[in-house]
Amino acid sequence: MTLHVPASVFPKRSLSVRLATPRGFCAGVDRAIQIVERAIEKYGAPVYVRHEIVHNRHVVERLKSLGAVFVRELDQCPDDRPVVFSAHGVPKAVPDTARARDLFFLDATCPLVSKVHVECERRHAEGRHIILIGHAGHPEVVGTMGQLPPGAISLVETVEDAQAFQRPGDAPLAYATQTTLSVDDTAEILSVLRTRFPELPEPHKEDICYATTNRQEAVKRLADGSDLVLVIGSQNSSNSVRLVEVALKAGARDARLIDDATHIDWAWFDGVETVGVTAGASAPERLIEDLIAAIHARFDAEVTEDDGAREAVTFKLPRVLTS
């Protein structure tokens, strides 16, 4: 006779869980989400949003349930409903088209992305050709390149691109970067560019945003002593993907990007004594809470929170939504 003993009778294996600080929403993401929420409250549903407001499926689905309609281009928007531009920024042609149609629009571009746009315009006005370090096709890169006439910006994605880049004519150069890049990878690319073009001026302020930098520093601390690092974020979230890469480079034995707790393969935990947990800048904190609950259900988990930068940055909402 086989005796079936409920799994709950056996003691759970001990597991140390380290939570990164900071993690999750940054000020730009929080502002963008609030813009959509308040627009729906003030003007009613539907409110149209050009592209995903931020790169997180859970955020997008929740806003859809409130009355947001996500579209790829303005020609999918009716003339009589508000339109919100995503946090990643848009080419100048987009608001120009909206004005030509007399659309009411709200720009949720992160102010730190807008700063990059202004810097590029300033350098272009000085007669400089702009080198933009970033990832081709990312909405932020598309938006930044769309601030200037075609050919005014050259995109550099890798060290190899930096080595191969050729100055167009005798134009002086300047550079800018996507705000969500790996700090270390960008430093390598810049080192190559500065060796080749020593006259490159520094931007007024570092382009990679405070939130990206802080989360990468936090995940480096997690990787030191963690067998496995779990990063909550969507696959199309640049800053979340970078966190996985940073964790592996910093020494984590394994690092995984997961959309939420339901995407865990628990075989990853075989032989793991310490797991680090963080979230990209567009991932809600509730996803962390769900992940910790799932871990508690399977392990005798001791959860501690790492020390890290405490962020107090906030960005103002458009005045039309606060009056």
Side-chain angles (χ1 to χ4, degrees), residues 6-200:
S8 59
V9 170
F10 297 104
K12 297 176 182 177
R13 179 167 70 83
S14 296
L15 182 71
S16 175
V17 180
R18 293 170 56 195
L19 288 177
T21 300
R23 61 182 180 272
F25 280 179
C26 63
V29 165
D30 187 55
R31 173 180 180 270
I33 294 169
Q34 284 192 62
I35 286 174
V36 178
E37 291 172 340
R38 294 206 183 189
I40 293 169
E41 290 173 6
K42 184 165 185 175
Y43 305 109
V47 166
Y48 286 75
V49 184
R50 184 186 179 275
H51 293 184
E52 291 188 349
I53 187 68
V54 297
H55 282 159
N56 186 271
R57 179 178 65 83
H58 293 274
V59 170
V60 169
E61 291 301 321
R62 189 181 70 83
L63 292 175
K64 281 183 179 178
S65 73
L66 297 177
V69 176
F70 291 87
V71 298
R72 291 192 60 81
E73 298 300 342
L74 291 184
D75 58 13
Q76 297 171 269
C77 302
D79 293 336
D80 60 347
R81 297 306 304 161
V83 180
V84 180
F85 301 153
S86 81
H88 310 102
V90 296
K92 277 191 171 180
V94 174
D96 287 348
T97 299
R99 291 187 191 98
R101 287 181 53 190
D102 201 25
L103 289 176
F104 172 63
F105 65 87
L106 296 159
D107 190 352
T109 300
C110 173
L112 299 181
V113 174
S114 296
K115 179 188 73 67
V116 176
H117 293 178
V118 170
E119 180 79 2
C120 287
E121 289 186 290
R122 188 175 71 85
R123 292 302 191 184
H124 177 67
E126 295 172 353
R128 295 180 182 272
H129 183 82
I130 312 298
I131 301 170
L132 177 62
I133 302 171
H135 297 298
H138 189 279
E140 183 184 329
V141 168
V142 173
T144 298
M145 295 188 75
Q147 300 304 303
L148 299 179
I153 299 179
S154 294
L155 182 63
V156 168
E157 296 188 77
T158 64
V159 167
E160 291 73 24
D161 288 347
Q163 292 166 338
F165 170 77
Q166 295 298 315
R167 182 200 306 265
D170 58 357
L173 300 173
Y175 78 90
T177 73
Q178 184 180 333
T179 63
T180 55
L181 298 178
S182 160
V183 174
D184 294 337
D185 289 351
T186 303
E188 291 179 25
I189 294 171
L190 271 176
S191 176
V192 172
L193 290 173
R194 288 199 171 282
T195 299
R196 297 188 60 213
F197 309 106
E199 79 277 15
L200 273 174

Side-chain angles (χ1 to χ4, degrees), residues 1-5:
M1 179 176 119
T2 303
L3 181 62
H4 295 283
V5 181

